[in-house]
Amino acid sequence: MKVMVINGSPRKGNTCKALNWITHSLNPSYEVNSFNLYDYFIASCINCDICHRKGGYCVQKDDTNQLLQYLVESDVVVLGTPVYYWGISAQIKLFIDKFYSVNSLLSESSKKLVVVACGANSLNDVQYELIEKQFNAIAKYLNWNFFKYIPISAYNPDDIEQQDGLIQQIKNTGLSL
């Protein structure tokens, strides 16, 4: 089983901690590749459509194709994002936009998708619902299994560590993959 863990947060805070708990709970026999998107240069999609005319993958001179190769080969995708202005981080959005270049490859095999969204507001805030709907639509479009959505209310770097039930839920998600 190949698992791709994608951190879309520039900080090593709550999003990173949640992703680490999932990663450390995974079956040790799994091949896990973790990426902090802020360590990569991802140019925005310019809708040139060359990727589709030339057999897939982005033609821009950035780090996208390296990341897309892992994505295509993965069975499970775990995305972590902070909530920025009622949505996902720009770095996650840049990467998702590049999915277009390999749409056909991504929809050939059903992947499990897990999404972690960490925000400052309470869990009944609409921001979490908007993010869940966005990823539900993406998963449906790609024929993926939207396996788990974990909204988290945690602002300060250690806030997540004060939520024992949540930590166990996050670890259980890793164990169930």
Side-chain angles (χ1 to χ4, degrees):
M1 176 90 64
K2 291 184 178 183
V3 181
M4 182 178 192
V5 180
I6 305 163
N7 182 8
S9 176
R11 302 187 313 173
K12 301 289 189 246
N14 296 306
T15 303
C16 185
K17 288 175 185 175
L19 293 175
N20 285 337
W21 286 323
I22 290 173
T23 301
H24 289 99
S25 298
L26 293 169
N27 185 317
S29 69
Y30 291 176
E31 178 184 326
V32 180
N33 294 290
S34 296
F35 301 91
N36 181 347
L37 290 183
Y38 282 85
D39 293 337
Y40 296 87
F41 171 62
I42 303 171
S44 59
C45 177
I46 57 173
N47 197 26
C48 65
D49 215 30
I50 295 172
C51 56
H52 286 216
R53 292 193 306 266
K54 301 269 183 169
Y57 295 98
C58 185
V59 297
Q60 292 195 55
K61 304 294 185 222
D62 66 4
D63 297 323
T64 300
N65 290 330
Q66 171 191 356
L67 296 167
L68 288 174
Q69 187 61 44
Y70 281 101
L71 181 69
V72 167
E73 295 173 357
S74 295
D75 303 298
V76 177
V77 179
V78 180
L79 291 169
T81 182
V83 178
Y84 288 165
Y85 224 72
W86 296 277
I88 60 177
S89 71
Q91 210 62 13
I92 286 279
K93 182 65 169 107
L94 283 169
F95 185 52
I96 289 171
D97 286 349
K98 295 294 190 85
F99 286 15
Y100 175 75
S101 63
V102 290
N103 267 347
S104 60
L105 295 173
L106 292 177
S107 61
E108 284 179 0
S109 63
S110 182
K111 299 179 186 308
K112 285 184 181 179
L113 176 63
V114 175
V115 175
V116 174
C118 293
N121 292 356
S122 66
L123 293 179
N124 63 357
D125 191 281
V126 70
Q127 64 191 6
Y128 301 103
E129 180 184 344
L130 294 171
I131 292 169
E132 181 178 25
K133 285 182 177 183
Q134 180 178 18
F135 281 106
N136 190 45
I138 291 168
K140 189 173 185 177
Y141 173 74
L142 293 172
N143 300 311
W144 291 4
N145 173 7
F146 192 8
F147 185 74
K148 183 74 172 175
Y149 176 60
I150 306 171
I152 298 170
S153 176
Y155 177 71
N156 294 313
D158 294 329
D159 283 353
I160 196 171
E161 294 174 358
Q162 310 309 313
Q163 302 179 48
D164 292 333
L166 174 62
I167 293 169
Q168 194 55 53
Q169 175 192 359
I170 293 166
K171 290 179 178 179
N172 287 343
T173 298
L175 289 169
S176 66
L177 290 170

